[in-house]
Amino acid sequence: MELTIWTYEGPPHVGAMRVAASLEDSHLLLHAPQGDTYADLLFTMIARNGKRPPVTYTTFQARDLGADTAAIVLQSAREAAERFKPALMLVAESCTAELLQDQPGTLAAGADLEVPVVHVELAAYSRKENWGASETLYHLVRALLNGREDRSERKPADPARRPRVNLLGPTELGFRCRDDVTEITRLLDAAGVDVNLAAPADASVADLLRIPDADANVCLYPEIAQTTCAWLERKFRQPTVRTVPIGVGATRDFLAEVAEATGIEIDIDKIERNCRLPWYSRSVDSTYLTGKRVFIFADATHALAAARIAREELGFEVVGLGTYSREQARGVREAARQHGLEPLITDDYLEVERRIAELQPELVLGTQMERHIAKKLGIGCAVISSPAHVQDFPARYSPQMGYEGANVIFDSWVHPLMMGLEEHLLGMFREDFEFNDEAMPSHLAAVPGEGYARSGQDDTGTAAEGTPAWAQDAERELKKIPFFVRGKARRNTELFASERGVETISVETLYEAKAHFSR
């Protein structure tokens, strides 16, 4: 077991909670010890939901382990059914409770409850949160629809009505799921396609029974919906739209796939008119961003989308690509191969930090962990995936998918780089009395007269122990280097000096280091 401060995914029972919290009228009975109720805070404090997730915990304590913990399960199940009166009860257990082998699903099923019970077995010690959400949705849909008649051949759609699709995969705590569903619903409406339902987000148990009524399923979030879509394809012959519409190119491909799945024609060019990202990529101003080195680490869905947008739509150079989603790692490995990169498949944030520090990109696209890493290293960053913090659950409309999502991505990715340009322009006018370092340092600087990174210096600005000191003329020369690469220049020069035993860095040392690293 490895001690960690951060984790990209919680245990699988958090995934089960996400599905239960997404549905309108289900309830989750979670067999768990006292203390596992911390997950409530993810919904109320981080995602800023106005209600607690619909979860009842058995909350057994240490003193209960010598008694009958199964009796606690039965009592909790009956009380939850009586109090909340859900249309369906999900039953699962946390990693600690799994060791007791109380089989809470079997107990609840035999408790003569007035509601249907769906037991979800979660491999707590080998799997994680997204897998738990995927399994919960799959078992839930399968339990509700397994008795429905198989369709060896689907009947042709009624020509009098518009085609209908299901949007599968959006859940609570997902990255911008609420806004993505709204955007894709609008996009499909403009294309002449209706949304039959979105699930599990804001769906009821009765809604889930209508899944077979759609002409196709859209797998919006493969980490959550891929298993369910595959089963529906086998069971009801519903085609699956697998392209995730994040970015301009992917949105066009998505609409083309929807047209093929539903048998209609879609005027893609007409729908795309309001997207501003393609215009910017063709503009003169965008040439400043061409070739910017980008490191990407996120869930597989958003990592793959980001790599395509970065290379094909913004002209960036992808220098690192990885994911913590091991179940979806095959696609990331293939994309990394196409970029000529070694894929980074890990859930160890320290390994991610080491790779970023080694590559020294100019922009990091990742999770809230990569935001902290980038801040520490003095690199611009945009969050593109869960896990995310409260600021990445905005109250405003801020999708990632569709053409409006491309506009949001354009803003959130370009702005960190443009701030570097602003600082560079301030540096060009450094001798002007208004922009003099001592008179009025930039409001963007971490400390007066300095950029982000001050490696080798402590909080007082003096050289840390073991790091070469800087001569005053060398410090002045360093400040002439643009803000957004100054931290890298400082680190490279200190490394160059340390390897050669130079105790005080002079202007000559600075330029010798520049020549060395420019080879």
Side-chain angles (χ1 to χ4, degrees):
M1 183 175 290
E2 189 174 276
L3 183 63
T4 184
I5 299 174
W6 290 336
T7 179
Y8 287 96
E9 295 183 84
H13 71 261
V14 174
M17 290 179 65
R18 287 173 57 184
V19 173
S22 301
L23 295 166
E24 290 183 350
D25 52 1
S26 72
H27 197 84
L28 172 64
L29 176 67
L30 187 64
H31 192 30
Q34 188 177 34
D36 274 359
T37 57
Y38 72 91
D40 281 11
L41 297 177
L42 297 174
F43 299 89
T44 57
M45 182 183 294
I46 304 300
R48 299 193 290 190
N49 282 357
K51 59 181 179 180
R52 290 181 62 253
V55 180
T56 292
Y57 303 88
T58 57
T59 55
F60 59 84
Q61 302 179 50
R63 64 171 180 263
D64 298 319
L65 298 180
D68 186 4
T69 51
I72 299 176
V73 174
L74 288 170
Q75 180 182 353
S76 299
R78 290 174 179 137
E79 290 177 351
E82 175 63 27
R83 177 182 176 186
F84 298 104
K85 295 181 171 50
L88 179 142
M89 181 173 289
L90 294 162
V91 180
E93 52 196 332
S94 72
C95 47
T96 309
E98 187 177 296
L99 298 173
L100 302 179
Q101 298 186 356
D102 281 331
Q103 298 185 343
T106 303
L107 292 171
D112 295 325
L113 303 180
E114 295 182 357
V115 298
V117 173
V118 177
H119 180 215
V120 183
E121 292 189 13
L122 303 174
Y125 290 95
S126 60
R127 302 287 188 166
K128 294 197 173 181
E129 179 181 330
N130 281 336
W131 182 88
S134 174
E135 282 294 291
T136 303
L137 178 62
Y138 166 66
H139 283 289
L140 174 61
V141 170
R142 183 166 182 166
L144 290 172
L145 300 179
N146 209 23
R148 296 282 292 271
E149 181 182 355
D150 293 6
R151 298 184 184 179
S152 56
E153 293 185 7
R154 289 186 61 82
K155 296 179 181 180
D158 182 356
R161 70 162 175 84
R162 303 205 313 178
R164 295 183 297 220
V165 299
N166 299 315
L167 306 182
L168 301 182
T171 65
E172 294 288 346
L173 290 181
F175 192 74
R176 311 287 172 83
C177 285
R178 176 198 65 190
D179 296 344
D180 283 346
V181 168
T182 301
E183 181 61 25
I184 297 306
T185 300
R186 292 175 178 173
L187 181 70
L188 290 171
D189 179 62
V193 178
D194 293 331
V195 172
N196 183 49
L197 61 90
D202 297 327
S204 65
V205 172
D207 289 335
L208 297 180
L209 294 172
R210 297 190 294 106
I211 286 178
D213 297 340
D215 301 302
N217 294 310
V218 174
C219 187
L220 270 191
Y221 300 93
E223 283 86 352
I224 310 299
Q226 184 170 282
T227 303
T228 301
C229 287
W231 182 78
L232 291 169
E233 199 164 9
R234 295 192 303 269
K235 175 79 172 175
F236 299 108
R237 302 297 186 268
Q238 288 177 306
T240 300
V241 177
R242 291 182 169 83
T243 301
V244 180
I246 302 179
V248 178
T251 300
R252 293 181 67 89
D253 292 347
F254 167 79
L255 289 172
E257 193 173 350
V258 169
E260 181 180 358
T262 58
I264 64 172
E265 293 185 4
I266 298 176
D267 187 346
I268 298 175
D269 292 329
K270 181 179 179 181
I271 299 173
E272 190 183 308
R273 287 182 303 181
N274 294 325
C275 186
R276 295 177 61 81
L277 191 150
W279 159 80
Y280 183 80
S281 297
R282 295 190 299 265
S283 71
V284 174
D285 289 342
S286 72
T287 57
Y288 164 72
L289 303 177
T290 302
K292 290 296 183 183
R293 303 172 71 255
V294 181
F295 179 91
I296 301 168
F297 190 88
D299 66 33
T301 295
H302 290 88
L304 291 171
R308 178 176 178 178
I309 296 169
R311 182 173 68 177
E312 298 180 9
E313 299 174 23
L314 288 171
F316 294 160
E317 177 189 358
V318 179
V319 297
L321 179 62
T323 183
Y324 58 84
S325 304
R326 293 187 181 275
E327 290 82 10
Q328 304 286 326
R330 179 178 297 180
V332 176
R333 288 193 176 97
E334 174 61 23
R337 186 189 65 79
Q338 294 175 4
H339 286 270
L341 304 173
E342 180 68 26
L344 180 59
I345 313 299
T346 183
D347 57 3
D348 183 352
Y349 67 91
L350 294 175
E351 187 176 350
V352 179
E353 181 174 349
R354 284 191 291 270
R355 185 69 66 88
I356 294 174
E358 173 189 336
L359 294 171
Q360 285 296 308
E362 289 151 305
L363 180 67
V364 173
L365 304 173
T367 72
Q368 67 163 324
M369 269 78 120
E370 283 66 52
R371 188 210 331 261
H372 288 293
I373 292 168
K375 184 177 181 180
K376 175 182 177 182
L377 297 175
I379 303 170
C381 179
V383 175
I384 63 168
S385 159
S386 293
H389 216 315
V390 61
Q391 60 265 51
D392 296 304
F393 289 91
R396 68 185 183 280
Y397 185 62
S398 186
Q400 293 287 286
M401 294 185 179
Y403 293 122
E404 185 59 31
N407 290 336
V408 173
I409 288 171
F410 162 43
D411 283 342
S412 57
W413 293 17
V414 167
H415 287 174
L417 294 170
M418 297 306 289
M419 292 301 99
L421 175 60
E422 178 181 294
E423 191 71 17
H424 177 49
L425 293 174
L426 291 174
M428 291 175 61
F429 294 95
R430 190 172 300 281
E431 300 307 318
D432 190 291
F433 75 94
E434 289 186 289
F435 297 101
N436 183 274
D437 269 341
E438 284 70 32
M440 194 187 80
S442 168
H443 67 288
L444 296 174
V447 292
E450 195 61 60
Y452 281 132
R454 294 172 62 84
S455 63
Q457 295 190 7
D458 58 24
D459 293 339
T460 65
T462 59
E465 185 177 353
T467 303
W470 284 75
Q472 289 186 359
D473 58 345
E475 281 278 11
R476 286 194 296 269
E477 195 69 17
L478 180 68
K479 290 178 182 179
K480 297 179 182 179
I481 297 175
F483 152 79
F484 47 89
V485 292
R486 191 185 304 155
K488 183 177 180 180
R490 179 186 286 278
R491 288 189 291 270
N492 285 346
T493 305
E494 290 173 352
L495 177 63
F496 178 85
S498 297
E499 290 176 347
R500 288 157 180 74
V502 176
E503 296 182 357
T504 302
I505 296 172
S506 64
V507 174
E508 289 74 20
T509 309
L510 177 62
Y511 281 98
E512 287 174 6
K514 180 179 183 296
H516 173 78
F517 286 104
S518 298
R519 292 173 185 171

